Amino acid sequence: MKLRWYSIVIDCHNVAAQARWWADVLDWRLIFEADDEAVIIPNDMPADLDMEEPVPAHRWHHVPPGLVFVPVPEGKTVKNRLHIDLAPHLEDDRDAQIQWLIDAGARRVDVGQDGSEVTWTVLADPEGNEFCVLSSRDR
């Protein structure tokens, strides 16, 4: 028996704004939006996977996960127990990408790294959900 990693669900207050922010950050596309849910998927996901037709089993397990945004009434009060790691390619300017994220509404946060010599930068999205920008890599 195999299960497919289908999605990551992100609690938020403004479903539409969060979905669009993350779609911009990841260069993904919004495929569903309602008051109580928004869904984004990778741009390179085959177009036929957006349709109503069932996905054959041999392709099902190779479809990447999406991000789903749902509303919650409470505010965020503690550090995330699960977070997203982003990684730039070796040919990309990591510092410029971090600055772009900050200019787009992210902010630097300290979750215990205390300025130590780490190879990642911890940021928070516009609603405070932490994520990391890792060191540049090519695999």
Side-chain angles (χ1 to χ4, degrees):
M1 176 175 90
K2 291 193 266 183
L3 293 173
R4 181 182 134 213
W5 176 10
Y6 192 76
S7 62
I8 294 175
V9 178
I10 299 175
D11 294 346
C12 54
H13 291 284
N14 189 331
V15 170
Q18 280 291 93
R20 283 186 175 81
W21 192 85
W22 278 101
D24 286 346
V25 165
L26 298 171
D27 192 26
W28 285 14
R29 69 183 185 270
L30 181 69
I31 61 163
F32 178 80
E33 183 177 358
D35 290 342
D36 62 347
E37 181 181 41
V39 179
I40 65 172
I41 61 171
N43 269 329
D44 60 355
M45 185 179 286
D48 61 338
L49 295 179
D50 288 348
M51 299 172 60
E52 297 292 323
E53 297 297 317
V55 176
H58 72 278
R59 290 180 65 200
W60 172 256
H61 294 288
H62 299 285
V63 176
L67 291 177
V68 178
F69 301 86
V70 298
V72 295
E74 69 275 1
K76 185 176 174 310
T77 58
V78 297
K79 177 178 89 106
N80 295 1
R81 300 249 348 228
L82 177 72
H83 67 267
I84 297 172
D85 282 346
L86 305 177
H89 190 270
L90 287 173
E91 295 178 4
D92 295 329
D93 183 340
R94 179 179 177 275
D95 291 337
Q97 289 178 323
I98 291 171
Q99 187 58 54
W100 179 85
L101 288 163
I102 292 169
D103 292 345
R107 61 182 169 79
R108 292 180 186 269
V109 294
D110 185 343
V111 294
Q113 71 271 29
D114 296 324
S116 60
E117 296 297 319
V118 296
T119 60
W120 61 88
T121 299
V122 183
L123 300 173
D125 71 15
E127 288 203 13
N129 298 301
E130 296 93 5
F131 64 96
C132 292
V133 179
L134 305 176
S135 59
S136 299
R137 50 198 69 201
D138 63 2
R139 58 185 119 249

